[in-house]
Amino acid sequence: MLRKSNVVLWGVVLFVAWNALILLFLWTRPTPDTPGNLTYEVMKLAQDAEDELERQKGLLQQIREYSAIWSRQQKKTVTPAPASPSLSSPSRGRTDPKPAELVIPVLVIACDRSTVRRCLDKLIQYQPSKERFPIVVSQDCGHQETAQVIASYGDAVVHIKQPDLGEIPVPSDHRKFQGYYKISRHYHWALGQVFHVLKYQAAIVVEDDLEVAPDFFEYFQAAFPLLLEDKTLWCVSAWNDNGKEQMVDSRHPETLYRTDFFPGLGWLLLAELWDELEPKWPKAFWDDWMRHPDQRKERACIRPEISRTMTFGRKGVSHGQFFDQHLKFIKLNDHFVPFTELNLTYLTKENFERTFREEVYGAPELRVEELQGNQRQELGAVRVQYSSREAFKAFAKALGAMDDLKAGVPRAGYHGVVTFLYRSRRVYLAPPPDWTGYDPSWS
Ligand SMILES: *[C@@H]1O[C@H](CO)[C@@H](O)[C@H](O)[C@H]1NC(C)=O
């Protein structure tokens, strides 16, 4: 934003300086002495003035354009895109559209669940524009009934089909994980289609058992510029792993956070990230692979206080028990938040870390038992401190938060801190203030 304002400021300064110079030049010209010369001089002056006016008109036009872009972005309060390196750097023939024309497809990963209808119906219902947010359904598994359901949407969606339906050779002790291998192969192929064949710059990935919230598109549209600008971010996710009804603050559906945990379940990535991951894409368990430090590289995702997706599918490779115990309780936001009109700069690394740290370590410490007994309610937000893996797991479980860790990172955690509501109080489950990093051996 500073860069943009500078451009405008310089434009104005140049414009004024140029005018001053012209005036000075005209005033200090020697007065011509013969009548013949005079006519010539006047004509020349008129010609000069006309040329000058043309030039200034062009200059003014440019200034106006920059101002318009700038004020639009000021209004939207997100960082600008046109001059950002990620947009202006040419990458393999992708075009560099202006932000207003930017196209972000939704890639729906489908297999053999005809209930994909529920996912597609909601996407189409809330889709602000078919041009700006096209829906691409990638189908694996060759399931006829599901193919018919997808085909019934006609040109409302783009239907692509993963061509390789063969079994994947897996180690014998992994035979029961064949499904995970197929999912990984499908993601590999589908993301390749989106970024190499269709040549999109970014994409939102959802699976066929996700239902989206009314402001799903609004959220991603608003967070997209953050992802472009802030290289310490690598995704925007619609999911809060601790987003159960009683654990989120429904008075603040607009609240967003940074998280070190890759949540998936409705997530936006840039083509550049695919370029980085594709050559080493794993044969199976792609989501946990992404959570490994070799891939994550200390980058964070944006996640909401209240999820913008919910999963309705019990049938699936990884769900089942996890769905019954956990996923089905995640609250889907039902309030439209006009994210593109909000100031989201509080989410930049520097801003977020400063205020988050103040909030977490400025909060008084309380023991889990005191919380459970609803004591010291006058304290407001409180911190529960843990210093070992065992303590984290015990406290998380006692307070109803997810207690598993991937590569040492707790679900929805940021710098080791997991925040949620417990009995209507804001709780920060946090490591000691001198925390320096995750221990990948915590699992
Ligand atoms: C947006 O919020 C930041 C603080 O996070 C503030 O410094 C900035 O002035 C705000 N911008 C606008 C346009 O209100």
Side-chain angles (χ1 to χ4, degrees):
M1 224 173 291
L2 247 177
R3 245 182 303 156
K4 278 291 100 63
S5 68
N6 277 343
V7 170
V8 175
L9 197 66
W10 274 109
V12 173
V13 168
L14 268 173
F15 184 67
V16 171
W18 186 249
N19 276 306
L21 267 174
I22 293 298
L23 275 178
L24 197 69
F25 173 67
L26 294 181
W27 279 339
T28 54
R29 270 190 161 189
T31 335
D33 42 15
T34 66
N37 268 351
L38 184 66
T39 323
Y40 173 74
E41 281 295 327
V42 167
M43 275 175 64
K44 182 140 191 330
L45 255 177
Q47 184 61 46
D48 285 350
E50 207 173 305
D51 290 347
E52 202 39 50
L53 267 173
E54 270 312 302
R55 227 175 324 207
Q56 291 192 6
K57 225 165 74 187
L59 200 65
L60 206 62
Q61 189 65 33
Q62 280 178 23
I63 291 175
R64 225 183 273 143
E65 274 166 20
Y66 274 115
S67 300
I69 291 172
W70 185 54
S71 64
R72 204 162 51 232
Q73 274 155 357
Q74 277 268 314
K75 209 181 112 218
K76 292 200 170 176
T77 64
V78 288
T79 26
S84 82
S86 37
L87 261 185
S88 49
S89 65
S91 55
R92 281 206 321 261
R94 282 180 202 117
T95 46
D96 298 337
K98 293 186 185 68
E101 306 163 346
L102 192 95
V103 176
I104 307 179
V106 178
L107 171 64
V108 180
I109 300 286
C111 173
D112 59 358
R113 289 185 282 212
S114 52
T115 48
V116 65
R117 188 184 289 286
R118 182 160 160 192
C119 170
L120 293 178
D121 285 346
K122 289 293 175 181
L123 281 172
I124 291 168
Q125 181 183 345
Y126 300 135
Q127 183 184 37
S129 147
K130 206 179 135 191
E131 285 69 41
R132 293 197 53 206
F133 298 98
I135 298 168
V136 179
V137 187
S138 178
Q139 196 197 347
D140 195 4
C141 316
H143 192 246
Q144 207 40 47
E145 195 192 331
T146 305
Q148 278 164 10
V149 169
I150 299 167
S152 75
Y153 286 85
D155 63 5
V157 307
V158 177
H159 189 180
I160 57 177
K161 293 175 182 171
Q162 201 277 111
D164 181 4
L165 302 179
E167 291 293 298
I168 303 170
V170 301
S172 57
D173 57 331
H174 267 202
R175 210 160 292 146
K176 61 174 183 251
F177 299 132
Q178 175 77 219
Y180 290 96
Y181 283 79
K182 288 187 176 167
I183 289 174
S184 203
R185 173 175 70 186
H186 187 192
Y187 266 83
H188 194 168
W189 181 82
L191 287 167
Q193 293 289 306
V194 162
F195 293 121
H196 300 317
V197 179
L198 302 171
K199 294 200 184 320
Y200 288 116
Q201 282 210 319
I204 302 166
V205 182
V206 301
E207 291 188 18
D208 56 357
D209 62 343
L210 287 184
E211 178 178 329
V212 304
D215 53 1
F216 175 84
F217 291 97
E218 175 79 5
Y219 167 58
F220 282 110
Q221 188 183 334
F224 175 73
L226 289 169
L227 187 59
L228 269 187
E229 283 291 308
D230 183 347
K231 294 302 155 202
T232 63
L233 287 175
W234 69 329
C235 96
V236 178
S237 169
W239 187 253
N240 174 5
D241 271 291
N242 285 314
K244 292 179 187 165
E245 175 97 50
Q246 69 281 9
M247 293 181 77
V248 293
D249 187 350
S250 48
R251 291 163 309 166
H252 291 289
E254 76 286 358
T255 306
L256 305 176
Y257 300 86
R258 294 173 74 97
T259 174
D260 296 318
F261 192 89
F262 171 72
L265 294 168
W267 56 289
L268 168 67
L269 78 159
L270 299 181
E272 285 73 17
L273 180 62
W274 183 244
D275 290 344
E276 176 191 321
L277 299 178
E278 186 185 33
K280 53 175 182 170
W281 191 252
K283 286 190 158 42
F285 315 111
W286 69 271
D287 46 356
D288 282 346
W289 171 83
M290 284 198 48
R291 293 168 181 143
H292 191 277
D294 288 352
Q295 277 64 248
R296 188 170 75 82
K297 298 188 170 143
E298 300 193 359
R299 290 172 289 190
C301 295
I302 301 291
R303 61 114 180 147
E305 167 80 4
I306 305 178
S307 288
R308 262 62 182 186
T309 51
M310 63 165 267
T311 139
F312 57 78
R314 192 187 184 286
K315 186 183 160 201
V317 185
S318 56
H319 298 164
Q321 209 187 4
F322 192 51
F323 177 81
D324 286 337
Q325 289 174 357
H326 174 62
L327 295 175
K328 71 174 179 190
F329 298 110
I330 300 291
K331 177 189 163 80
L332 179 68
N333 181 59
D334 51 11
H335 245 77
F336 186 95
V337 173
F339 281 111
T340 58
E341 289 163 27
L342 304 182
N343 184 352
L344 300 185
T345 57
Y346 72 94
L347 290 162
T348 62
K349 185 174 165 67
E350 201 181 303
N351 289 345
F352 188 80
E353 277 175 14
R354 191 183 51 245
T355 49
F356 194 62
R357 211 185 149 74
E358 279 166 16
E359 280 168 18
V360 173
Y361 292 100
E365 207 180 326
L366 207 64
R367 286 182 300 116
V368 170
E369 301 76 50
E370 293 173 298
L371 256 175
Q372 288 175 320
N374 224 355
Q375 295 166 27
R376 312 286 311 274
Q377 286 190 53
E378 73 285 359
L379 293 178
V382 294
R383 174 166 44 103
V384 173
Q385 199 153 297
Y386 68 89
S387 351
S388 68
R389 173 183 167 279
E390 288 64 37
F392 170 78
K393 281 178 154 320
F395 297 166
K397 202 177 223 102
L399 299 173
M402 296 299 287
D403 66 350
D404 59 337
L405 302 131
K406 305 275 186 182
V409 185
R411 288 184 185 268
Y414 192 65
H415 290 201
V417 181
V418 179
T419 180
F420 48 85
L421 291 193
Y422 178 78
R423 303 187 79 163
S424 309
R425 297 164 92 166
R426 172 61 58 188
V427 174
Y428 301 107
L429 181 53
D434 60 357
W435 181 90
T436 52
Y438 294 104
D439 179 348
S441 75
W442 287 22
S443 61

